[in-house]
């Protein structure tokens, strides 16, 4: 059977690797409005190339000085052949992190917390066991993923039970609590001392959502809705709770659950209990809403200047030198030596990427309704954000 590290590559970890594998490691150029692309022919070609490479279907939207451009390719349902819709809703995976980070930064601006406080201040006794210590980890280290906490999704037994083959098919409807997933993480010792380096861990994101609840006295979902979704009128964005379906319009999601033993088998994995990704990947949205969110965020409509500066203060990602990680956003140097901000997200059956200029005026979000093919992720960003070659 394929190991968790290799299998999860198609969902989150190596999706990031694919983004950066072909990127230049030269110093980043300014991440501003890189071009006002009235035409998106190159982006369309890259999206169609993803379908040709094996992605069932793609839904995408770009916004720039020329206006709004929407497109689709491939199918939303492999059984009926129904196409994808530009309005499709989908599971966003770790893009959820940016919403949580934004709420925590708003709370900091309101003097309700400090990002440099220990996690223990807000979640006493939660981060403990196997050498884990919430007194030594700050909230900021959760957000920029320098805490050193073990990623619960990397636990082989958990991974096999909930994301692979028969394990996923048998347990896709299970309700899980944050405490259950954290217990998996804290059965392992830290990967490194807090602050030593960056390493993405979904454990950080669960803890961040729990801190939102502790400080606010309400659910993290309610705070996201009150502070972000309602003011920006993001009507296609929601948290599923324990619901197993994706609101319509939406497409089916597909995965190669048996990749290690039956690499050609493709399963419909659309339905899954939302609690299994609570706080670190449960948000459901569409390309339009995500573009509006990131445009507002980078444009200064959600955070004061100081908090926006903190959001964009990055730490080196030693695994992918072309990318550095801020507080719920990442900075990536593309192959043309232009830099864009972005965040990607993967869950079983869905891969999403949102990229945007530093001023938030140019955005691209696209979603794959399959999780095994990532070769065109970087090509799509280069097509959209790199200047068109001169004739």
């Amino acid at each position: 059977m394929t190991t968790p590290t290799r299998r999860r590559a198609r969902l989150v970890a190596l999706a990031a690797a694919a983004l950066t594998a072909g990127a230049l490691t030269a110093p980043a150029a300014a991440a501003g409005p890189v071009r006002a692309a009235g035409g998106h022919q190159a982006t369309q070609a890259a999206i169609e190339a993803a379908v040709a490479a094996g992605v069932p279907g793609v839904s995408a939207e770009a916004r720039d000085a020329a206006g709004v451009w929407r497109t689709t390719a491939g199918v939303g349902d492999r059984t009926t052949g129904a196409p994808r819709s530009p309005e499709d809703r989908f599971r966003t995976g770790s893009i959820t992190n940016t919403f949580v980070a934004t709420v925590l930064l708003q709370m900091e601006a309101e003097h309700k917390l400090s990002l440099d406080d220990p996690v223990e201040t807000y979640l006493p006794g939660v981060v403990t066991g196997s050498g884990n210590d919430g007194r030594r980890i700050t909230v900021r280290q959760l957000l920029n993923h320098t805490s050193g906490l073990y990623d619960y999704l990397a636990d082989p037994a958990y991974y096999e039970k909930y994301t692979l083959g028969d394990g996923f098919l048998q347990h896709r409807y299970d309700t899980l609590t944050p405490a259950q997933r954290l217990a998996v993480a804290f059965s392992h010792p830290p990967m490194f001392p807090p602050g030593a380096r960056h390493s993405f861990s979904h454990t950080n994101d669960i803890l961040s959502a729990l801190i939102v609840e502790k400080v606010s006295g309400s659910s993290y979902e309610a705070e996201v809705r009150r502070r972000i979704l309602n003011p920006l009128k993001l009507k296609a964005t929601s948290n599923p709770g324990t619901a197993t379906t994706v609101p319509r319009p939406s497409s089916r999601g597909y995965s190669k659950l048996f990749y290690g033993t039956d690499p050609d088998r493709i399963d419909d994995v659309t339905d899954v209990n939302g609690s299994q990704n609570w706080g670190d990947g449960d948000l459901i949205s569409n390309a339009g809403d995500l573009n509006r969110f990131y445009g507002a965020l980078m444009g200064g409509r959600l955070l004061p200047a100081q908090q926006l500066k903190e959001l964009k203060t990055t730490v080196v990602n030693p695994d992918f030198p072309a990318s550095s990680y801020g507080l719920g956003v990442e900075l990536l140097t593309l192959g043309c030596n232009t830099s864009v901000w972005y965040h990607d997200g993967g869950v079983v059956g869905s891969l999403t990427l949102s990229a945007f200029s530093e001023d938030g005026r140019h955005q691209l979000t696209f979603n794959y309704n399959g999780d095994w093919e990532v070769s065109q992720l970087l090509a799509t960003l280069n097509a959209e954000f790199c200047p068109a070659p001169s004739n």
Side-chain angles (χ1 to χ4, degrees):
M1 179 170 288
T2 307
T3 65
T5 299
R6 284 157 45 205
R7 174 62 173 82
R8 195 66 184 178
R10 288 186 302 283
L11 304 183
V12 180
L14 291 193
L19 282 173
T20 58
L24 301 178
T25 56
V34 293
R35 67 175 175 131
H40 300 267
Q41 294 89 345
T43 308
Q44 179 71 42
I47 287 170
E48 291 175 356
V51 173
V55 175
V58 183
S59 178
E61 181 193 276
R63 292 171 178 249
D64 58 23
V68 179
W69 174 78
R70 299 184 179 94
T71 192
T72 64
V75 299
D77 189 319
R78 296 179 71 248
T79 301
T80 67
R84 295 212 62 179
S85 164
E87 304 296 330
D88 267 357
R89 302 181 187 189
F90 44 78
R91 303 184 192 278
T92 69
S94 292
I95 285 176
T96 304
N97 306 355
T98 317
F99 287 78
V100 175
T102 300
V103 170
L104 287 172
L105 283 161
Q106 289 179 345
M107 289 177 166
E108 181 191 59
E110 296 161 1
H111 306 290
K112 294 179 178 178
L113 59 77
S114 169
L115 298 189
D116 295 313
D117 283 342
V119 173
E120 184 76 7
T121 301
Y122 305 104
L123 302 176
V126 172
V127 182
T128 187
S130 304
N132 297 287
D133 189 347
R135 298 170 299 180
R136 301 181 58 212
I137 300 167
T138 67
V139 178
R140 191 183 307 276
Q141 288 168 337
L142 297 180
L143 294 179
N144 64 17
H145 293 270
T146 60
S147 70
L149 294 172
Y150 184 86
D151 187 347
Y152 76 92
L153 275 175
D155 179 85
Y158 183 96
Y159 184 85
E160 184 169 338
K161 183 174 182 179
Y162 291 105
T163 70
L164 287 179
D166 289 324
F168 173 85
L169 296 176
Q170 293 170 8
H171 296 283
R172 65 195 299 180
Y173 300 114
D174 292 1
T175 296
L176 298 180
T177 66
Q180 285 175 292
R181 293 182 290 154
L182 291 177
V184 173
F186 301 148
S187 69
H188 297 267
M191 298 179 292
F192 49 80
R197 56 158 289 173
H198 166 88
S199 182
F200 191 90
S201 171
H202 295 83
T203 305
N204 295 322
D205 303 322
I206 297 174
L207 292 169
S208 297
L210 288 173
I211 290 173
V212 167
E213 297 198 334
K214 183 70 172 184
V215 173
S216 68
S218 62
S219 69
Y220 113 83
E221 298 97 324
E223 288 300 298
V224 167
R225 186 167 55 251
R226 181 175 72 85
R227 293 171 174 270
I228 300 174
L229 305 188
N230 290 345
L232 297 181
K233 297 180 171 58
L234 304 183
K235 296 182 179 180
T237 306
S238 61
N239 295 90
T242 58
T244 61
T245 58
V246 178
R248 294 184 178 181
S250 56
S251 293
R252 308 304 295 176
Y254 299 97
S255 184
K256 293 188 175 184
L257 295 174
F258 298 86
Y259 185 82
T261 56
D262 189 357
D264 295 326
R265 173 173 169 172
I266 297 174
D267 283 272
D268 185 322
V269 295
T270 308
D271 296 343
V272 63
N273 191 309
S275 70
Q276 296 187 14
N277 294 302
W278 181 94
D280 70 324
D282 59 327
L283 199 76
I284 293 171
S285 191
N286 69 6
D289 269 17
L290 292 180
N291 282 340
R292 286 190 289 274
F293 165 63
Y294 282 113
L297 177 63
M298 303 303 282
R301 291 170 55 196
L302 291 173
L303 295 175
Q306 174 59 34
Q307 278 64 43
L308 186 58
K309 180 180 178 181
E310 292 183 68
L311 178 94
K312 297 190 290 185
T313 300
T314 64
V315 295
V316 173
N317 184 344
D319 299 318
F320 314 115
S323 179
S324 56
Y325 203 95
L327 305 184
V329 294
E330 302 177 64
L331 183 64
L332 173 67
T333 306
L334 296 175
C336 57
N337 204 30
T338 290
S339 291
V340 294
W341 293 90
Y342 80 102
H343 209 293
D344 58 277
V347 294
V348 177
S350 176
L351 286 172
T352 306
L353 195 147
S354 290
F356 34 94
S357 59
E358 186 160 4
D359 63 5
R361 295 180 180 177
H362 186 180
Q363 316 110 36
L364 170 70
T365 294
F366 58 97
N367 169 261
Y368 295 172
N369 63 335
D371 60 31
W372 62 87
E373 169 54 48
V374 298
S375 65
Q376 294 302 309
L377 291 180
L378 179 62
T380 304
L381 291 189
N382 279 322
E384 179 65 25
F385 289 97
C386 287
S390 58
N391 295 327

